[in-house]
Amino acid sequence: MKQVVRKGLKDVIVDEVPDPIASAHHVLVRPLASLISSGTETASIHSGGVTKALAENPSHINKVLNVMKTNHPFDTAREVMAKFSEYAVLGYSGAGLVI
């Protein structure tokens, strides 16, 4: 099935993802429509990006520094860089059919 995802910090793409499988005591819904918020969900791709996010919440820098105290700096840097290529699923308000 196709899904809108944010790849890294700026790229929004439509990607092919595996169909979900319903587990016990759950239902599977075939989505017919989904909304993507123009505010909260796309805020990270607007101008400013990382720099603006750090300026608004400097605790992120402290988190990285604290991790560096217990992990090797290269391992910490690798984790931070992984965030730049990470996928984030967009869309949270949907309608569909229970199948």
Coordinates of all heavy atoms in Angstrom, one line a residue:
M1 N 0.8 -1.2 0.0 CA 0.0 0.0 0.0 C 0.9 1.2 0.0 O 2.1 1.2 0.3 CB -1.0 0.0 1.2 CG -0.4 0.3 2.5 SD -1.7 0.3 3.8 CE -0.9 1.3 5.0
K2 N 0.3 2.4 -0.4 CA 1.1 3.6 -0.4 C 0.9 4.4 0.9 O -0.2 4.4 1.4 CB 0.7 4.4 -1.6 CG 1.1 3.7 -2.9 CD 1.1 4.6 -4.1 CE 1.4 3.9 -5.4 NZ 2.7 3.3 -5.4
Q3 N 1.9 5.1 1.3 CA 1.8 5.9 2.5 C 2.7 7.2 2.3 O 3.8 7.1 1.8 CB 2.3 5.1 3.7 CG 2.0 5.8 5.0 CD 2.2 4.7 6.2 OE1 3.0 3.9 6.1 NE2 1.3 4.9 7.1
V4 N 2.1 8.3 2.8 CA 2.9 9.5 2.8 C 3.8 9.5 4.0 O 3.4 9.3 5.2 CB 2.0 10.8 2.8 CG1 2.8 12.1 2.9 CG2 1.0 10.7 1.6
V5 N 5.1 9.7 3.8 CA 6.1 9.7 4.9 C 7.1 10.9 4.7 O 7.3 11.4 3.6 CB 6.9 8.4 5.0 CG1 6.0 7.2 5.3 CG2 7.6 8.1 3.7
R6 N 7.6 11.3 5.8 CA 8.7 12.3 5.8 C 10.0 11.5 5.9 O 10.2 10.8 6.8 CB 8.6 13.3 6.9 CG 9.6 14.5 6.8 CD 9.6 15.3 8.0 NE 10.4 14.6 9.0 CZ 10.0 14.4 10.3 NH1 8.9 15.0 10.7 NH2 10.7 13.7 11.1
K7 N 10.9 11.7 4.9 CA 12.2 11.0 5.0 C 13.2 12.1 5.4 O 13.4 13.1 4.7 CB 12.5 10.4 3.6 CG 13.8 9.7 3.6 CD 14.1 9.1 2.3 CE 15.5 8.3 2.4 NZ 16.2 8.2 1.2
G8 N 13.9 11.8 6.5 CA 14.8 12.8 7.0 C 14.1 14.0 7.5 O 13.0 13.9 8.1
L9 N 14.7 15.2 7.3 CA 14.1 16.4 7.9 C 13.2 17.2 6.9 O 12.4 18.0 7.3 CB 15.2 17.3 8.4 CG 16.0 16.7 9.5 CD1 17.1 17.6 9.9 CD2 15.1 16.3 10.7
K10 N 13.4 17.0 5.6 CA 12.8 17.9 4.6 C 12.0 17.2 3.5 O 11.1 17.8 3.0 CB 13.9 18.7 3.9 CG 14.6 19.7 4.8 CD 13.9 21.0 4.8 CE 14.7 22.0 5.7 NZ 13.9 23.1 6.1
D11 N 12.3 16.0 3.2 CA 11.6 15.3 2.0 C 10.3 14.6 2.4 O 10.3 13.8 3.3 CB 12.6 14.3 1.4 CG 13.8 14.9 0.9 OD1 13.8 16.1 0.4 OD2 14.9 14.3 0.9
V12 N 9.3 15.0 1.8 CA 8.0 14.3 1.9 C 7.8 13.5 0.7 O 7.8 14.0 -0.4 CB 6.8 15.3 2.1 CG1 5.5 14.6 2.2 CG2 7.1 16.1 3.4
I13 N 7.6 12.2 0.8 CA 7.4 11.3 -0.3 C 6.2 10.3 -0.1 O 5.7 10.2 1.0 CB 8.7 10.4 -0.5 CG1 9.0 9.5 0.7 CG2 9.9 11.3 -0.8 CD1 10.1 8.5 0.5
V14 N 5.8 9.8 -1.2 CA 4.8 8.7 -1.2 C 5.6 7.4 -1.4 O 6.3 7.3 -2.4 CB 3.7 8.9 -2.2 CG1 2.7 7.7 -2.2 CG2 3.0 10.2 -2.0
D15 N 5.5 6.5 -0.4 CA 6.3 5.3 -0.5 C 5.4 4.1 -0.4 O 4.3 4.1 0.2 CB 7.3 5.3 0.7 CG 8.5 4.4 0.5 OD1 8.6 3.9 -0.6 OD2 9.3 4.3 1.4
E16 N 5.9 3.0 -1.0 CA 5.2 1.7 -0.9 C 5.6 1.0 0.4 O 6.8 0.9 0.7 CB 5.6 0.8 -2.1 CG 4.8 -0.4 -2.3 CD 3.3 -0.1 -2.7 OE1 3.1 0.9 -3.4 OE2 2.5 -0.8 -2.2
V17 N 4.6 0.7 1.2 CA 4.9 0.0 2.5 C 4.1 -1.3 2.6 O 3.1 -1.5 1.9 CB 4.5 0.9 3.7 CG1 5.4 2.2 3.7 CG2 3.1 1.3 3.7
P18 N 4.6 -2.2 3.4 CA 3.9 -3.5 3.5 C 2.5 -3.3 4.1 O 2.2 -2.4 4.9 CB 4.7 -4.3 4.5 CG 6.0 -3.6 4.6 CD 5.8 -2.2 4.2
D19 N 1.5 -4.1 3.6 CA 0.2 -4.1 4.2 C 0.2 -4.5 5.6 O 1.0 -5.5 6.0 CB -0.7 -5.1 3.4 CG -1.1 -4.5 2.0 OD1 -1.0 -3.3 1.8 OD2 -1.4 -5.4 1.2
P20 N -0.5 -3.8 6.5 CA -0.5 -4.2 7.9 C -1.3 -5.6 8.1 O -2.1 -6.0 7.2 CB -1.3 -3.1 8.6 CG -2.1 -2.4 7.5 CD -1.3 -2.7 6.2
I21 N -1.0 -6.2 9.2 CA -1.7 -7.5 9.5 C -2.4 -7.3 10.9 O -1.7 -6.8 11.8 CB -0.6 -8.6 9.6 CG1 0.1 -8.8 8.3 CG2 -1.3 -9.9 10.1 CD1 1.2 -9.8 8.3
A22 N -3.6 -7.6 10.9 CA -4.4 -7.4 12.1 C -4.0 -8.5 13.1 O -4.0 -9.7 12.8 CB -5.9 -7.5 11.8
S23 N -3.8 -8.1 14.3 CA -3.5 -9.1 15.4 C -4.7 -9.4 16.2 O -5.8 -8.7 16.0 CB -2.3 -8.6 16.3 OG -2.7 -7.4 16.8
A24 N -4.7 -10.3 17.1 CA -5.8 -10.6 18.0 C -6.4 -9.4 18.7 O -5.6 -8.5 19.1 CB -5.4 -11.7 19.0
H25 N -7.7 -9.3 18.7 CA -8.4 -8.2 19.4 C -8.2 -6.8 18.7 O -8.3 -5.8 19.4 CB -8.0 -8.1 20.9 CG -8.2 -9.4 21.6 ND1 -9.4 -10.0 21.8 CD2 -7.2 -10.2 22.1 CE1 -9.2 -11.1 22.5 NE2 -7.9 -11.3 22.6
H26 N -7.8 -6.8 17.4 CA -7.7 -5.6 16.7 C -8.4 -5.8 15.4 O -8.8 -6.9 15.0 CB -6.2 -5.3 16.4 CG -5.4 -5.0 17.5 ND1 -4.9 -5.9 18.4 CD2 -5.0 -3.7 18.0 CE1 -4.2 -5.2 19.4 NE2 -4.3 -4.0 19.2
V27 N -8.7 -4.6 14.7 CA -9.4 -4.7 13.4 C -8.4 -4.0 12.4 O -7.6 -3.2 12.7 CB -10.7 -3.9 13.4 CG1 -11.7 -4.6 14.3 CG2 -10.6 -2.5 13.7
L28 N -8.6 -4.4 11.2 CA -7.8 -3.8 10.1 C -8.7 -2.8 9.3 O -9.9 -3.2 8.9 CB -7.3 -4.9 9.2 CG -6.3 -4.5 8.1 CD1 -5.0 -3.9 8.8 CD2 -5.9 -5.7 7.3
V29 N -8.3 -1.6 9.1 CA -9.1 -0.6 8.4 C -8.4 -0.3 7.1 O -7.2 0.0 7.1 CB -9.2 0.7 9.3 CG1 -10.0 1.7 8.5 CG2 -9.9 0.3 10.6
R30 N -9.1 -0.4 6.0 CA -8.6 0.0 4.7 C -8.9 1.5 4.6 O -10.0 2.0 4.5 CB -9.3 -0.7 3.6 CG -8.8 -0.2 2.2 CD -9.4 -1.0 1.0 NE -8.8 -2.3 1.0 CZ -9.6 -3.4 1.0 NH1 -10.9 -3.3 0.9 NH2 -9.0 -4.6 0.9
P31 N -7.8 2.4 4.6 CA -8.1 3.8 4.6 C -8.6 4.3 3.2 O -8.2 3.8 2.2 CB -6.7 4.4 4.8 CG -5.7 3.3 4.7 CD -6.4 2.0 4.7
L32 N -9.5 5.2 3.3 CA -10.1 5.8 2.1 C -9.6 7.3 2.0 O -9.5 7.8 0.9 CB -11.6 5.7 2.1 CG -12.2 4.3 2.1 CD1 -13.7 4.4 2.2 CD2 -11.8 3.6 0.8
A33 N -9.4 7.9 3.2 CA -8.9 9.3 3.2 C -8.1 9.5 4.5 O -8.4 8.8 5.5 CB -10.1 10.2 3.2
S34 N -7.2 10.3 4.4 CA -6.4 10.7 5.6 C -6.0 12.2 5.5 O -5.7 12.7 4.4 CB -5.1 9.8 5.7 OG -4.3 10.2 6.8
L35 N -5.9 12.8 6.6 CA -5.5 14.2 6.6 C -4.0 14.4 7.1 O -3.6 13.7 8.0 CB -6.4 15.0 7.5 CG -7.9 15.0 7.1 CD1 -8.7 15.7 8.2 CD2 -8.1 15.6 5.8
I36 N -3.3 15.3 6.5 CA -2.0 15.7 7.0 C -2.1 17.1 7.5 O -2.5 18.0 6.7 CB -0.9 15.5 5.9 CG1 -0.9 14.1 5.5 CG2 0.4 16.0 6.4 CD1 0.0 13.8 4.3
S37 N -1.8 17.4 8.7 CA -1.8 18.7 9.3 C -0.8 19.6 8.6 O 0.3 19.3 8.5 CB -1.6 18.7 10.8 OG -1.4 20.0 11.3
S38 N -1.3 20.8 8.2 CA -0.4 21.8 7.6 C 0.4 22.5 8.6 O 1.4 23.2 8.3 CB -1.2 22.8 6.7 OG -2.1 23.5 7.6
G39 N 0.1 22.3 9.9 CA 0.9 22.9 11.0 C 1.8 22.0 11.7 O 3.0 22.0 11.4
T40 N 1.3 21.1 12.5 CA 2.2 20.3 13.4 C 3.0 19.3 12.6 O 4.2 19.1 12.8 CB 1.4 19.6 14.4 OG1 0.3 18.9 13.8 CG2 0.8 20.5 15.4
E41 N 2.4 18.6 11.6 CA 3.1 17.6 10.9 C 4.1 18.1 9.9 O 5.0 17.4 9.6 CB 2.1 16.6 10.2 CG 1.4 15.8 11.2 CD 0.7 14.6 10.6 OE1 -0.1 14.8 9.6 OE2 0.9 13.5 11.0
T42 N 3.9 19.3 9.4 CA 4.8 19.8 8.4 C 5.8 20.8 9.0 O 6.6 21.4 8.2 CB 4.1 20.3 7.2 OG1 3.2 21.4 7.6 CG2 3.3 19.3 6.5
A43 N 5.7 21.1 10.2 CA 6.5 22.2 10.8 C 8.0 21.9 10.7 O 8.8 22.8 10.4 CB 6.1 22.3 12.3
S44 N 8.4 20.6 10.7 CA 9.8 20.3 10.6 C 10.3 20.5 9.2 O 11.6 20.5 9.1 CB 10.0 18.9 11.1 OG 9.3 18.0 10.3
I45 N 9.5 20.6 8.2 CA 10.0 20.8 6.9 C 10.0 22.2 6.4 O 10.5 22.5 5.3 CB 9.3 19.9 5.8 CG1 7.8 20.2 5.7 CG2 9.5 18.4 6.2 CD1 7.1 19.6 4.6
H46 N 9.5 23.1 7.2 CA 9.5 24.5 6.8 C 10.8 25.1 7.0 O 11.7 24.6 7.7 CB 8.4 25.3 7.6 CG 7.0 24.8 7.3 ND1 6.5 24.9 6.0 CD2 6.1 24.3 8.0 CE1 5.3 24.4 6.0 NE2 5.0 24.0 7.2
S47 N 11.0 26.3 6.5 CA 12.4 26.9 6.6 C 12.8 27.1 8.1 O 12.0 27.3 9.0 CB 12.3 28.3 5.9 OG 11.4 29.2 6.6
G48 N 14.1 26.9 8.3 CA 14.6 27.0 9.6 C 15.0 25.6 10.1 O 16.1 25.4 10.6
G49 N 14.2 24.6 9.8 CA 14.5 23.2 10.1 C 15.2 23.0 11.4 O 14.7 23.4 12.5
V50 N 16.4 22.4 11.3 CA 17.1 22.0 12.5 C 17.6 23.1 13.4 O 17.4 23.1 14.6 CB 18.4 21.1 12.1 CG1 19.2 20.8 13.3 CG2 18.0 19.9 11.3
T51 N 18.1 24.2 12.7 CA 18.6 25.3 13.5 C 17.5 26.0 14.3 O 17.7 26.3 15.5 CB 19.2 26.4 12.5 OG1 20.1 25.7 11.7 CG2 19.8 27.5 13.2
K52 N 16.3 26.1 13.7 CA 15.2 26.7 14.4 C 14.7 25.8 15.5 O 14.4 26.3 16.6 CB 14.1 27.0 13.4 CG 12.9 27.7 14.0 CD 11.8 28.0 12.9 CE 10.6 28.7 13.6 NZ 9.5 28.9 12.6
A53 N 14.7 24.5 15.2 CA 14.2 23.6 16.3 C 15.2 23.6 17.5 O 14.7 23.6 18.6 CB 14.2 22.2 15.7
L54 N 16.5 23.7 17.2 CA 17.4 23.8 18.3 C 17.3 25.1 19.1 O 17.4 25.1 20.3 CB 18.9 23.6 17.8 CG 19.2 22.2 17.4 CD1 20.6 22.1 16.8 CD2 19.1 21.2 18.6
A55 N 17.1 26.2 18.4 CA 17.0 27.5 19.0 C 15.7 27.5 19.9 O 15.7 28.1 21.0 CB 16.9 28.6 18.0
E56 N 14.6 26.9 19.5 CA 13.4 26.8 20.2 C 13.4 25.8 21.4 O 12.7 26.0 22.3 CB 12.2 26.5 19.3 CG 11.9 27.7 18.3 CD 10.9 27.3 17.3 OE1 10.4 26.1 17.3 OE2 10.5 28.2 16.6
N57 N 14.3 24.8 21.3 CA 14.3 23.8 22.3 C 15.8 23.3 22.5 O 16.2 22.2 22.0 CB 13.4 22.6 21.9 CG 13.2 21.7 23.1 OD1 13.9 21.8 24.1 ND2 12.4 20.7 22.9
P58 N 16.6 24.1 23.2 CA 18.0 23.8 23.3 C 18.3 22.5 24.2 O 19.4 22.0 24.2 CB 18.6 25.0 24.0 CG 17.5 25.8 24.6 CD 16.3 25.4 23.8
S59 N 17.2 22.0 24.8 CA 17.4 20.7 25.6 C 17.9 19.6 24.7 O 18.4 18.6 25.2 CB 16.1 20.4 26.3 OG 15.1 20.0 25.4
H60 N 17.6 19.7 23.4 CA 18.1 18.6 22.5 C 19.6 18.5 22.5 O 20.2 17.4 22.4 CB 17.6 18.9 21.0 CG 16.1 18.7 20.8 ND1 15.4 17.6 21.2 CD2 15.2 19.6 20.4 CE1 14.1 17.7 20.9 NE2 14.0 18.9 20.4
I61 N 20.3 19.7 22.5 CA 21.7 19.7 22.6 C 22.2 19.0 23.9 O 23.1 18.2 23.9 CB 22.3 21.1 22.5 CG1 22.0 21.7 21.1 CG2 23.8 21.1 22.8 CD1 22.3 23.1 21.0
N62 N 21.5 19.3 25.0 CA 21.8 18.7 26.3 C 21.7 17.2 26.2 O 22.5 16.4 26.8 CB 21.0 19.3 27.4 CG 21.4 20.7 27.7 OD1 22.6 21.1 27.5 ND2 20.5 21.5 28.2
K63 N 20.6 16.7 25.6 CA 20.4 15.3 25.4 C 21.5 14.6 24.7 O 22.0 13.6 25.1 CB 19.1 15.0 24.7 CG 17.8 15.3 25.4 CD 16.6 15.0 24.6 CE 15.3 15.5 25.3 NZ 14.2 15.4 24.4
V64 N 22.0 15.2 23.6 CA 23.1 14.7 22.9 C 24.4 14.6 23.7 O 25.1 13.7 23.7 CB 23.3 15.5 21.5 CG1 24.6 15.0 20.9 CG2 22.2 15.3 20.6
L65 N 24.6 15.7 24.4 CA 25.8 15.8 25.3 C 25.8 14.7 26.4 O 26.8 14.1 26.7 CB 26.0 17.2 25.9 CG 26.3 18.3 24.8 CD1 26.4 19.7 25.5 CD2 27.6 18.0 24.1
N66 N 24.6 14.5 27.0 CA 24.5 13.5 28.0 C 24.7 12.1 27.4 O 25.3 11.3 28.1 CB 23.1 13.6 28.7 CG 23.0 14.8 29.6 OD1 24.0 15.3 30.1 ND2 21.8 15.3 29.8
V67 N 24.2 11.8 26.2 CA 24.5 10.5 25.6 C 26.0 10.4 25.4 O 26.6 9.3 25.6 CB 23.7 10.4 24.3 CG1 24.1 9.1 23.6 CG2 22.2 10.3 24.7
M68 N 26.6 11.4 24.9 CA 28.1 11.4 24.7 C 28.9 11.0 25.9 O 30.0 10.5 25.8 CB 28.6 12.7 24.1 CG 28.2 12.9 22.6 SD 28.9 14.5 22.1 CE 29.8 13.9 20.6
K69 N 28.4 11.4 27.1 CA 29.1 11.1 28.3 C 29.1 9.5 28.6 O 30.1 9.1 29.2 CB 28.4 11.7 29.5 CG 28.6 13.2 29.5 CD 27.8 13.9 30.7 CE 27.9 15.4 30.6 NZ 27.0 16.0 31.7
T70 N 28.1 8.8 28.1 CA 28.1 7.4 28.4 C 28.5 6.6 27.1 O 28.9 5.4 27.3 CB 26.7 6.9 28.9 OG1 25.7 7.3 27.9 CG2 26.4 7.6 30.2
N71 N 28.3 7.1 25.9 CA 28.6 6.4 24.7 C 29.8 7.1 24.0 O 30.1 8.2 24.3 CB 27.4 6.4 23.7 CG 26.2 5.7 24.2 OD1 26.3 4.9 25.2 ND2 25.1 5.8 23.6
H72 N 30.4 6.4 23.2 CA 31.5 6.9 22.4 C 31.0 8.1 21.5 O 29.9 8.0 21.0 CB 32.1 5.8 21.5 CG 33.4 6.2 20.9 ND1 33.5 7.0 19.8 CD2 34.7 5.9 21.3 CE1 34.8 7.1 19.5 NE2 35.5 6.5 20.4
P73 N 31.7 9.2 21.4 CA 31.3 10.3 20.5 C 30.9 9.9 19.1 O 30.0 10.4 18.5 CB 32.4 11.3 20.6 CG 33.2 11.0 21.8 CD 33.0 9.5 22.1
F74 N 31.7 9.0 18.5 CA 31.4 8.5 17.2 C 30.1 7.8 17.1 O 29.3 7.9 16.2 CB 32.5 7.7 16.6 CG 33.8 8.4 16.3 CD1 34.9 8.1 17.0 CD2 33.8 9.5 15.4 CE1 36.1 8.8 16.7 CE2 34.9 10.2 15.1 CZ 36.1 9.9 15.8
D75 N 29.8 7.0 18.1 CA 28.5 6.3 18.2 C 27.3 7.3 18.3 O 26.3 7.1 17.7 CB 28.5 5.3 19.3 CG 29.4 4.1 19.2 OD1 29.8 3.8 18.0 OD2 29.8 3.5 20.2
T76 N 27.5 8.3 19.1 CA 26.5 9.3 19.3 C 26.3 10.1 18.0 O 25.1 10.3 17.6 CB 26.9 10.3 20.4 OG1 27.2 9.5 21.6 CG2 25.8 11.3 20.7
A77 N 27.4 10.4 17.4 CA 27.2 11.2 16.1 C 26.5 10.3 15.0 O 25.7 10.8 14.3 CB 28.6 11.5 15.6
R78 N 26.8 9.0 15.0 CA 26.1 8.1 14.1 C 24.6 8.1 14.4 O 23.8 8.1 13.5 CB 26.7 6.7 14.2 CG 26.6 5.9 13.0 CD 27.3 4.5 13.0 NE 28.0 4.2 14.2 CZ 29.4 4.2 14.4 NH1 30.1 4.5 13.4 NH2 29.9 3.8 15.5
E79 N 24.2 8.1 15.7 CA 22.8 8.1 16.0 C 22.1 9.3 15.6 O 21.0 9.3 15.1 CB 22.6 7.9 17.5 CG 22.8 6.5 18.0 CD 22.4 6.4 19.5 OE1 21.4 6.9 19.9 OE2 23.3 5.8 20.3
V80 N 22.8 10.5 15.8 CA 22.2 11.8 15.4 C 22.1 11.8 13.9 O 21.0 12.2 13.4 CB 23.1 12.9 15.9 CG1 22.7 14.3 15.3 CG2 23.1 13.0 17.5
M81 N 23.1 11.4 13.2 CA 23.0 11.4 11.7 C 21.9 10.5 11.2 O 21.3 10.8 10.2 CB 24.3 11.0 11.1 CG 25.4 12.1 11.3 SD 25.0 13.8 10.9 CE 24.8 13.6 9.1
A82 N 21.6 9.4 11.9 CA 20.5 8.5 11.5 C 19.2 9.2 11.5 O 18.3 8.9 10.7 CB 20.5 7.3 12.4
K83 N 19.0 10.2 12.4 CA 17.8 10.9 12.5 C 17.5 11.7 11.2 O 16.4 11.9 10.9 CB 17.8 11.9 13.7 CG 17.8 11.2 15.0 CD 16.5 10.6 15.3 CE 16.5 9.9 16.7 NZ 15.3 9.2 16.9
F84 N 18.6 12.1 10.5 CA 18.4 12.9 9.3 C 17.9 12.0 8.1 O 17.4 12.6 7.1 CB 19.7 13.5 8.9 CG 20.1 14.6 9.9 CD1 21.0 14.4 10.9 CD2 19.6 15.9 9.7 CE1 21.4 15.4 11.8 CE2 19.9 16.9 10.6 CZ 20.8 16.7 11.6
S85 N 17.9 10.7 8.2 CA 17.4 9.9 7.2 C 16.2 9.0 7.6 O 15.7 8.2 6.9 CB 18.5 8.9 6.6 OG 19.0 8.1 7.7
E86 N 15.8 9.2 8.8 CA 14.7 8.4 9.4 C 13.4 8.8 8.7 O 13.1 9.9 8.3 CB 14.6 8.8 10.9 CG 13.9 8.0 11.8 CD 14.1 8.4 13.2 OE1 13.5 9.4 13.7 OE2 14.9 7.8 13.9
Y87 N 12.5 7.8 8.7 CA 11.1 8.0 8.1 C 10.2 8.3 9.3 O 10.3 7.8 10.4 CB 10.6 6.7 7.5 CG 11.2 6.4 6.1 CD1 12.4 5.9 5.9 CD2 10.4 6.7 5.0 CE1 12.9 5.7 4.6 CE2 10.9 6.5 3.7 CZ 12.1 6.0 3.6 OH 12.6 5.8 2.3
A88 N 9.2 9.2 9.0 CA 8.2 9.6 9.9 C 6.9 9.5 9.2 O 6.7 10.1 8.1 CB 8.4 10.9 10.5
V89 N 5.9 8.7 9.7 CA 4.6 8.5 9.0 C 3.8 9.8 9.2 O 3.7 10.3 10.3 CB 3.9 7.3 9.6 CG1 2.5 7.2 9.0 CG2 4.7 6.0 9.3
L90 N 3.2 10.3 8.1 CA 2.4 11.5 8.2 C 0.9 11.0 8.0 O 0.6 10.1 7.4 CB 2.8 12.5 7.1 CG 4.2 13.0 7.2 CD1 4.4 14.0 6.0 CD2 4.5 13.7 8.5
G91 N 0.0 11.8 8.6 CA -1.4 11.5 8.5 C -1.9 10.9 9.8 O -1.3 10.0 10.4
Y92 N -2.9 11.5 10.4 CA -3.4 10.9 11.7 C -4.9 10.9 11.8 O -5.4 10.3 12.7 CB -2.8 11.8 12.8 CG -3.2 13.2 12.8 CD1 -4.4 13.7 13.4 CD2 -2.4 14.1 12.1 CE1 -4.8 15.0 13.3 CE2 -2.8 15.5 12.1 CZ -4.0 15.9 12.7 OH -4.3 17.2 12.6
S93 N -5.6 11.6 10.9 CA -7.1 11.6 11.0 C -7.6 11.0 9.7 O -7.5 11.6 8.7 CB -7.5 13.1 11.2 OG -8.9 13.1 11.2
G94 N -8.1 9.8 9.9 CA -8.5 9.1 8.6 C -9.9 8.5 8.7 O -10.5 8.4 9.8
A95 N -10.4 8.1 7.6 CA -11.6 7.4 7.4 C -11.4 6.2 6.5 O -10.7 6.3 5.6 CB -12.7 8.3 6.9
G96 N -12.1 5.1 6.8 CA -12.0 3.9 6.0 C -13.0 2.9 6.3 O -13.9 3.1 7.0
L97 N -12.7 1.7 5.7 CA -13.6 0.5 5.9 C -13.0 -0.5 6.8 O -11.8 -0.9 6.5 CB -14.0 -0.1 4.5 CG -14.7 0.8 3.5 CD1 -14.7 0.1 2.2 CD2 -16.0 1.2 4.0
V98 N -13.7 -1.1 7.7 CA -13.2 -2.2 8.5 C -13.2 -3.4 7.6 O -14.3 -3.8 7.1 CB -14.0 -2.4 9.8 CG1 -13.5 -3.6 10.5 CG2 -13.9 -1.2 10.7
I99 N -12.1 -4.1 7.4 CA -12.1 -5.2 6.5 C -11.8 -6.5 7.3 O -11.8 -7.5 6.9 CB -11.1 -5.1 5.4 CG1 -9.7 -4.8 5.9 CG2 -11.5 -4.0 4.4 CD1 -8.6 -4.8 4.8

